[in-house]
Amino acid sequence: MKDLKRYYFGIFIFNICFHLFSSDKFVFAQLKYPGNWDPYPQVYSDVLDILVLTTSVKVEKERKIIDVTSENLREELAKTPFVIILGDSEVRIPTKSVKVLRDYVLNGGTIFIEDTSELYYSVFDTSIRSILKTMFPEYKLKKTTAEHVLMKSFYLIRNVTGRVILLPYLEYIEYENRPAIIYSRNNIIACWAKDRFGKFIYNCIPGGEQQRFNSQKLFLNIIMYSLCGTYKMDKVHQPFIEQKLRYKK
């Protein structure tokens, strides 16, 4: 019963946050770069379906693909608060684009990065860490704990999982007390992928369907965070909601 109450309270909070802080539709924005940037080309549709099903959030039906080599990269990034980078091989981003991505983060954008290789030592991981070091030489990647905001920004999550459990944590770069770049190596995105008959394509190892459900909730937490910031799903923050409601009036 408590879990059910938390579930519905989470939906309530999500809906309020979205309508308070955004008048636009949620866009599944993905960065296109030279390399294998799109390992799961249809997964955005499954993510958006769940958002529509469980919340009153309005979404764009098609994902937004942002080319990292575009001369209009800055303008394209400015249209969305949340962008995703996926892949399982080397990531190549031009130096000038790395600077644009840095500015995007410094101005409030959130980047979610997923290593889909499921390898502890991967070319994707090596290249991403090199890019992040260039992008933010003054900051180091941190590790989430059980009390981190990403573990309770929408659902209450006890464990970091994905299709696999390569690492028991997410990594992130913190800027102005927020995880501005979030890095997963457990292949969370694969937990959403379905075939044309609506069946999940990939098994979740070792925890099966419960692990899939947990991983999907974790990704929703990340999306929730990108929309509402450091917002926790508990009564401590109800005055914050009321204050924002009065402000909107």
Side-chain angles (χ1 to χ4, degrees):
M1 180 61 70
K2 287 184 179 180
D3 288 340
L4 189 61
K5 288 181 179 179
R6 287 172 178 169
Y7 171 78
Y8 284 114
F9 186 63
I11 292 174
F12 170 72
I13 294 302
F14 189 94
N15 294 336
I16 287 180
C17 282
F18 192 83
H19 290 296
L20 285 177
F21 304 115
S22 174
S23 59
D24 299 324
K25 294 180 179 180
F26 174 77
V27 178
F28 190 104
Q30 187 173 342
L31 202 68
K32 178 181 180 181
Y33 57 86
N36 187 26
W37 65 276
D38 198 19
Y40 307 112
Q42 300 300 323
V43 78
Y44 75 92
S45 179
D46 298 303
V47 174
L48 295 179
D49 283 347
I50 294 298
L51 276 178
V52 171
L53 181 66
T54 59
T55 77
S56 63
V57 171
K58 296 179 180 179
V59 303
E60 287 289 351
K61 293 183 179 180
E62 299 299 324
R63 67 175 167 170
K64 180 178 181 62
I65 298 173
I66 302 175
D67 192 333
V68 77
T69 64
S70 171
E71 292 297 323
N72 299 318
L73 177 60
R74 189 179 301 274
E75 291 75 15
E76 292 300 309
L77 286 171
K79 297 175 183 177
T80 177
F82 181 64
V83 67
I84 297 170
I85 302 175
L86 306 178
D88 59 5
S89 55
E90 183 181 8
V91 180
R92 300 186 298 277
I93 299 179
T95 302
K96 64 179 182 179
S97 298
V98 171
K99 173 64 167 60
V100 173
L101 288 168
R102 174 186 168 89
D103 291 343
Y104 170 73
V105 168
L106 294 180
N107 284 285
T110 300
I111 301 175
F112 173 70
I113 305 171
E114 178 83 274
D115 182 350
T116 65
S117 72
E118 301 180 2
L119 299 173
Y120 193 81
Y121 299 104
S122 74
V123 177
F124 181 94
D125 181 61
T126 300
S127 60
I128 278 293
R129 290 182 188 278
S130 176
I131 289 168
L132 293 179
K133 189 173 182 180
T134 301
M135 191 185 300
F136 284 102
E138 68 271 41
Y139 299 121
K140 293 184 178 180
L141 283 164
K142 298 182 178 182
K143 300 175 182 178
T144 58
T145 64
E147 297 302 314
H148 195 272
V149 65
L150 292 174
M151 305 297 283
K152 48 191 166 184
S153 57
F154 184 24
Y155 294 101
L156 297 179
I157 305 292
R158 290 190 174 88
N159 302 302
V160 172
T161 58
R163 195 197 80 81
V164 297
I165 306 177
L166 198 66
L167 299 174
Y169 51 80
L170 296 169
E171 294 179 88
Y172 65 97
I173 287 178
E174 186 174 73
Y175 175 68
E176 292 189 340
N177 298 316
R178 69 182 182 93
I181 299 178
I182 303 160
Y183 183 25
S184 164
R185 302 200 56 206
N186 292 331
N187 205 0
I188 296 171
I189 298 296
C191 297
W192 295 86
K194 295 179 180 179
D195 63 21
R196 62 192 182 95
F197 300 108
K199 303 273 189 179
F200 287 115
I201 298 174
Y202 305 103
N203 293 327
C204 292
I205 302 169
E209 292 309 299
Q210 184 58 45
Q211 182 173 318
R212 183 190 310 282
F213 186 47
N214 186 79
S215 304
Q216 290 178 334
K217 290 193 295 183
L218 178 57
F219 190 56
L220 290 177
N221 274 16
I222 292 168
I223 293 175
M224 163 67 175
Y225 176 80
S226 77
L227 295 175
C228 297
T230 53
Y231 195 91
K232 292 188 291 185
M233 190 182 65
D234 57 45
K235 292 184 179 180
V236 173
H237 293 268
Q238 287 181 0
F240 176 79
I241 297 176
E242 294 168 0
Q243 179 184 354
K244 289 294 181 181
L245 285 171
R246 288 196 295 271
Y247 177 80
K248 291 296 284 187
K249 293 177 182 179

